[in-house]
Amino acid sequence: MAKHQFQTEANQILQLMIHSLYSNKEIFLRELISNASDALDKLNMLVLTNEAYKGIKFDPRINIKRDKEKKTLTVSDTGIGMNEVDLLNNLGTIAKSGTKAFLENLTGDQKVDSNLIGQFGVGFYAAFMVADSVEVITKKAGEDQAYKWTSTGNGEFEVEAATKEGHGTEIILHLKEGEEEFLEEYRIEAVVKKYSNHIPFPIFMDKEKHIPAVTDDEGKETEPARTEIENVQINSANALWTIAKSELKDEDYKAFYETLAHSNEEPLKWMHHKAEGAIEYTTLFYIPSKAPMDIYRVDYQPGIKLYINRVFITDDDKELMPTYLRFLRGVIDSKDLPLNVSREILQSNPVMAKIKNASVKKVLSELAKMMKKEPEKYDTFYKEFGNVLKEGLYNDFANREKILELLKFHTLNSDEMTTIEEFVKNVDEDKKEIYYLANKGSVDMLKHSPVLEKFKARGIDVLLLNEEVDTIIFPMVTEYKEYKLIPASDAKFEESEEEKKAKEELEKEFEGLAKEFKETLGEAIKEVEVTTELTESPVALKTDKEDPSYMMAQMMKQMGQGGEVPEPAPILQINPKHELIAKLKDSSDQNLIEDAAHVLFDQAKLFDGRELDDTADFAMRLNRIIAKAL
C-alpha cells in the first residue's frame, strides 16, 4: 500500500467540500453519475474505433447500491476504468489549470460556489460533502490488475492492488453522520430524475417491490404479502437531442442542461435543430444565463460535445464552434462522420465544416430573434457575453455584418444604447460615414473627449466604444453594408475658403508657442499642430496614420505581436481660441510655459486613454502652476 499527498489545489478543494459547501449537497450524485457516463462514452468509442479494444464487451450500465446497515452508497459503472497511473493523475492532482480559477472565483455564496464544482472538472471531490471516507475500486479495460484508492479527505490518499470482476469503476461512499437521507430509495431516485434522467446509459438501483397477498376463491389468504428486491432502471436513458421537439417540455430541456453544464441555474435559451438532406445531423445548443468563470482564459473548457450516431467522440475540441461562441453548451450529433475521426481530420473535414457553418448561422439568427422579440432577455445575454461576441468581428469575416447587428453601442448624442441598424438611420446619406471613438474608459469620459468637439459643433452622432476589446477589434472593421466605419480622429469635414484663411492666420500667430512646446516635449511628440477643430479643450492628441512606424505597429498587432513595436509619437494639437493657450502665447515666463506644455500633454494623454509616464512629475508641475495662479 502506497501513501500519496494530494496536490495543493486538490487538497484546497477537498477542504472546501468538507467544510464549506452545504446548501446543495445532492449534486455529488450528479457528478459521480456524470463521471461514470464519461467512462462509458470513452469505452464505447474505443471498442468501435480501436483494434486493441475490439474484443472487449461493451455492456453499458451504471449501478447505485445502498447499504443502510453499513451506511454506504456505491456508484459503479462498466466503463473504461483506471489503472494505477490514471488513479494518481485523476484522483490526486488537478491537471486542468483552470481549476485555480475555481478557487479564485469562490464568492462565499454556497449556491453560486456549488455551481462551479462540475464546471471546473472537480466533481469527484464533491463526494466528500456527504462522505467521511471514499473508496474507489477500479480495473482498466484490457488490463488484468485492479486497484483500490482510499482517502478520508485529510490531505492523503492510498493506492493498493485489488481484485475486481470485470472492467469499470466502483466508488464506495461511507456516509457521514446525518447524511442517511442519501440511502433512501425515494431520495436517490428524485436526484437521478432531476439531474441524470437523460444520461444516455441506463442507471439501475435495487428497489423494494410490494407483492400483494394471494387469496383463493373464498377470499382466504394462501400466500402472505411480501416485499421483494428488484433491480430496476431509474432513468429514461434516452439521448434527449434525438427526441422530437414536439415530445419535449421545457422541463426536459432544463433538466438536461443541468447535467450537461453541471449547473443548477436555468439556461437563458436553447436551440434544438435537426437537419435532413445531403447531410444529416442534430444540434442542441444552450446559452447560459451566467458566463463561465474561465471564459476569458486561454485554457477555457469548450462546452460542445460531439457525437457520431450517438457515440461520444470528444468534448474538448475548440474547433467544433468558433471561439467567439465559446459560451455555448450543447451537443452536435452527426450521421455522416467516420467513428474513428481524428482531431486533425475533424478540423479539415468538409462535413464538419458544413455543420459548423450552418450551426453558427443558426445561433446568430436565434440571437437576432431574441434581440427583437425578447429585448430584456437579450440585455441579460449581452451583459454576460457581448464582449465575447465582438471577437467574431475579428475572425469571422463571413458573418461580420450579422455580428455587428447583434452589438449594442453607446453614442455621443444619447444616454440609451442602440444598434448599428438604428444608428445608420441618422447617418448622412451623402457621405455614408459611421464615426466611432474607441478608447478604454468610462462612457462619460469618452463623451468629453476633445476628439468629439468637432462632432458636437456639427450635431453629428458618434459610436462610443469603451471596452478594451473594442480598441483591438474595431480598427479592423472598416465597413457595414454601404457605410464606412471611420475613427473619429480621422474624420474630415469640408472647410470654406474663409475658414481656411482664418486657420492659416492662427497658425502664423501661434507658431512661436507651437515651437516652444515642441522643444520642451522633444521626442515625446512628433510635432505641434494648431487646430480649429477643438472648441472646448485646450489640447488633444492625434496619430499620423501615414507614418510608416504607425503602419508597422498596426501590422504587428494583427499578427499578435503588438508589444514588440512601439506606437509612433503622437501629434499634439493646440486650440488657439482657448483662453489658456492664448495666455501662454503672451506669457514671458519660460518656466511656466515648460510646465504647462508637460501638464497639457499629460492631460491629452489621459483623455486619449493612455497612461502617464511619470505621475509624480505631472503632480509636481501642476502644483507649481497652481501656486503661480494663486
Side-chain angles (χ1 to χ4, degrees):
M1 184 182 293
K3 282 192 176 183
H4 303 271
Q5 295 289 324
F6 280 105
Q7 177 197 33
T8 303
E9 287 87 356
N11 197 41
Q12 286 177 284
I13 288 168
L14 267 174
Q15 298 313 307
L16 176 78
M17 301 301 175
I18 295 168
H19 300 294
S20 303
L21 296 178
Y22 299 110
S23 64
N24 199 26
K25 289 181 287 188
E26 66 183 28
I27 65 166
F28 83 90
L29 189 55
R30 176 191 76 185
E31 295 304 314
L32 295 183
I33 291 173
S34 178
N35 289 346
S37 178
D38 289 345
L40 289 164
D41 271 331
K42 288 172 184 173
L43 182 59
N44 189 22
M45 180 178 64
L46 289 170
V47 167
L48 292 168
T49 62
N50 192 317
E51 286 297 326
Y53 290 84
K54 291 289 186 185
I56 293 173
K57 184 181 179 183
F58 181 63
D59 181 18
R61 63 184 285 139
I62 298 168
N63 289 299
I64 298 176
K65 182 180 177 182
R66 302 167 295 123
D67 190 324
K68 291 187 177 182
E69 287 186 13
K70 295 181 179 178
K71 284 183 60 178
T72 61
L73 180 68
T74 302
V75 179
S76 61
D77 65 70
T78 56
I80 185 68
M82 291 178 278
N83 56 26
E84 187 174 16
V85 173
D86 295 329
L87 278 172
L88 294 173
N89 289 337
N90 297 338
L91 304 188
T93 62
I94 298 171
K96 185 175 181 289
S97 60
T99 302
K100 291 183 181 179
F102 169 82
L103 295 165
E104 292 163 5
N105 283 290
L106 292 174
T107 64
D109 182 326
Q110 291 184 17
K111 183 178 179 183
V112 173
D113 291 346
S114 65
N115 278 338
L116 301 178
I117 292 169
Q119 189 184 120
F120 279 96
V122 294
F124 169 76
Y125 300 110
F128 286 94
M129 288 196 288
V130 297
D132 50 27
S133 69
V134 177
E135 299 172 37
V136 179
I137 300 171
T138 183
K139 184 162 73 171
K140 192 161 189 175
E143 298 186 12
D144 297 325
Q145 183 62 58
Y147 293 92
K148 181 180 179 181
W149 179 100
T150 56
S151 179
T152 58
N154 63 350
E156 294 181 340
F157 62 92
E158 297 177 350
V159 177
E160 60 184 312
T163 57
K164 183 183 185 308
E165 287 290 328
H167 54 78
T169 299
E170 185 177 319
I171 300 174
I172 305 161
L173 281 66
H174 295 265
L175 297 180
K176 296 176 182 177
E177 200 69 40
E179 304 297 347
E180 290 82 4
E181 64 178 289
F182 295 110
L183 295 174
E184 296 298 331
E185 181 182 296
Y186 76 92
R187 185 73 168 100
I188 295 293
E189 194 163 8
V191 174
V192 169
K193 285 277 194 290
K194 181 178 180 181
Y195 296 114
S196 309
N197 200 37
H198 291 288
I199 288 285
F201 303 109
I203 302 171
F204 290 90
M205 183 175 72
D206 284 347
K207 292 180 66 174
E208 294 182 352
K209 182 180 180 182
H210 178 70
I211 310 294
V214 179
T215 58
D216 60 19
D217 293 340
E218 296 177 1
K220 289 183 179 180
E221 188 177 288
T222 58
E223 290 183 33
R226 67 187 189 279
T227 299
E228 288 185 355
I229 301 299
E230 186 179 26
N231 191 244
V232 296
Q233 185 174 328
I234 57 173
N235 70 325
S236 62
N238 49 8
L240 180 130
W241 64 89
T242 65
I243 303 171
K245 285 191 283 186
S246 58
E247 297 176 23
L248 294 169
K249 298 177 181 177
D250 287 358
E251 290 71 25
D252 296 319
Y253 284 111
K254 291 174 184 177
F256 182 63
Y257 174 76
E258 288 186 349
T259 298
L260 188 74
H262 300 272
S263 173
N264 299 325
E265 293 176 335
E266 288 192 4
L268 196 62
K269 190 178 184 62
W270 57 83
M271 296 154 264
H272 191 181
H273 176 65
K274 184 174 183 180
E276 295 178 319
I279 298 176
E280 289 188 32
Y281 64 91
T282 300
T283 57
L284 173 56
F285 297 131
Y286 290 91
I287 298 175
S289 52
K290 292 284 184 184
M293 289 297 179
D294 61 349
I295 197 162
Y296 291 111
R297 293 181 64 94
V298 175
D299 61 346
Y300 72 88
Q301 179 64 37
I304 305 299
K305 292 176 178 278
L306 175 66
Y307 288 80
I308 297 174
N309 272 330
R310 305 186 199 182
V311 176
F312 171 78
I313 301 300
T314 182
D315 63 356
D316 65 351
D317 194 324
K318 295 180 180 180
E319 298 296 323
L320 294 177
M321 290 293 277
T323 55
Y324 71 91
L325 295 179
R326 61 183 176 275
F327 52 81
L328 290 174
R329 298 291 177 262
V331 169
I332 297 173
D333 193 346
S334 169
K335 291 186 176 181
D336 299 294
L337 289 166
L339 279 173
N340 59 350
V341 63
S342 67
R343 180 166 300 195
E344 291 73 27
I345 293 173
L346 196 61
Q347 291 171 9
S348 60
N349 185 280
V351 171
M352 194 63 232
K354 288 178 182 177
I355 293 173
K356 180 178 178 179
N357 291 338
S359 296
V360 170
K361 285 181 168 57
K362 181 69 176 175
V363 171
L364 296 180
S365 173
E366 289 296 324
L367 287 174
K369 287 179 188 175
M370 191 202 297
M371 177 188 260
K372 288 180 170 59
K373 296 179 180 179
E374 301 174 284
E376 289 185 7
K377 185 179 283 190
Y378 190 80
D379 285 344
T380 301
F381 160 79
Y382 198 77
K383 181 182 176 183
E384 294 293 321
F385 306 113
N387 282 342
V388 181
L389 193 64
K390 288 175 186 176
E391 295 173 20
L393 296 175
Y394 182 83
N395 53 30
D396 188 356
F397 187 81
N399 291 299
R400 179 175 282 182
E401 192 171 292
K402 291 177 183 175
I403 296 168
L404 264 174
E405 291 173 352
L406 290 171
L407 303 186
K408 303 195 77 173
F409 301 93
H410 294 284
T411 75
L412 175 62
N413 295 342
S414 175
D415 293 327
E416 301 293 327
M417 293 186 82
T418 188
T419 65
I420 199 161
E421 289 180 286
E422 286 296 315
F423 185 83
V424 295
K425 291 178 181 177
N426 297 315
V427 168
D428 186 331
E429 283 301 309
D430 292 325
K431 293 189 78 174
K432 291 188 181 298
E433 292 181 345
I434 299 171
Y435 305 111
Y436 69 87
L437 177 61
N439 250 340
K440 187 182 176 183
S442 69
V443 173
D444 188 60
M445 184 175 178
L446 263 63
K447 283 191 174 188
H448 290 88
S449 170
V451 175
L452 299 183
E453 291 174 15
K454 59 186 176 185
F455 297 94
K456 291 176 184 176
R458 293 172 172 84
I460 298 171
D461 209 357
V462 180
L463 297 177
L464 304 179
L465 312 174
N466 67 316
E467 301 286 351
E468 186 172 8
V469 66
D470 297 328
T471 64
I472 299 167
I473 287 170
F474 271 87
M476 315 299 169
V477 183
T478 56
E479 59 185 34
Y480 166 67
K481 294 185 175 177
E482 68 270 29
Y483 300 90
K484 292 181 179 178
L485 270 75
I486 297 175
S489 57
D490 292 350
K492 291 182 172 58
F493 300 112
E494 289 185 14
E495 293 179 310
S496 66
E497 288 302 318
E498 290 80 6
E499 288 171 332
K500 289 179 182 176
K501 187 175 180 181
K503 183 180 178 182
E504 287 173 4
E505 290 175 357
L506 285 169
E507 286 175 346
K508 288 180 183 177
E509 185 181 349
F510 284 82
E511 185 178 8
L513 181 65
K515 185 178 179 182
E516 285 185 273
F517 270 29
K518 171 58 181 164
E519 288 174 353
T520 299
L521 297 171
E523 297 298 316
I525 59 170
K526 183 175 182 178
E527 60 182 88
V528 179
E529 175 182 283
V530 178
T531 181
T532 54
E533 292 182 341
L534 295 173
T535 58
E536 299 170 9
S537 302
V539 292
L541 293 185
K542 176 181 168 183
T543 301
D544 181 4
K545 295 189 176 177
E546 301 300 319
D547 189 321
S549 59
Y550 170 81
M551 290 186 263
M552 176 60 74
Q554 293 304 107
M555 187 174 73
M556 295 302 283
K557 271 186 183 178
Q558 292 182 38
M559 294 168 63
Q561 300 172 21
E564 295 182 16
V565 177
E567 292 279 357
I571 295 168
L572 179 65
Q573 296 180 303
I574 60 173
N575 177 8
K577 296 180 181 178
H578 195 281
E579 181 184 13
L580 205 160
I581 298 298
K583 284 185 175 181
L584 284 171
K585 177 180 74 72
D586 298 329
S587 175
S588 57
D589 187 338
Q590 197 61 36
N591 291 330
L592 174 65
I593 293 172
E594 288 181 7
D595 280 341
H598 282 286
V599 169
L600 288 171
F601 179 46
D602 283 344
Q603 179 193 111
K605 284 199 284 188
L606 290 172
F607 268 116
D608 202 46
R610 306 183 187 208
E611 293 184 1
L612 300 186
D613 296 325
D614 191 336
T615 308
D617 182 68
F618 170 75
M620 187 173 60
R621 292 180 185 279
L622 183 61
N623 289 339
R624 285 204 294 262
I625 293 171
I626 294 172
K628 286 183 179 180
L630 293 175

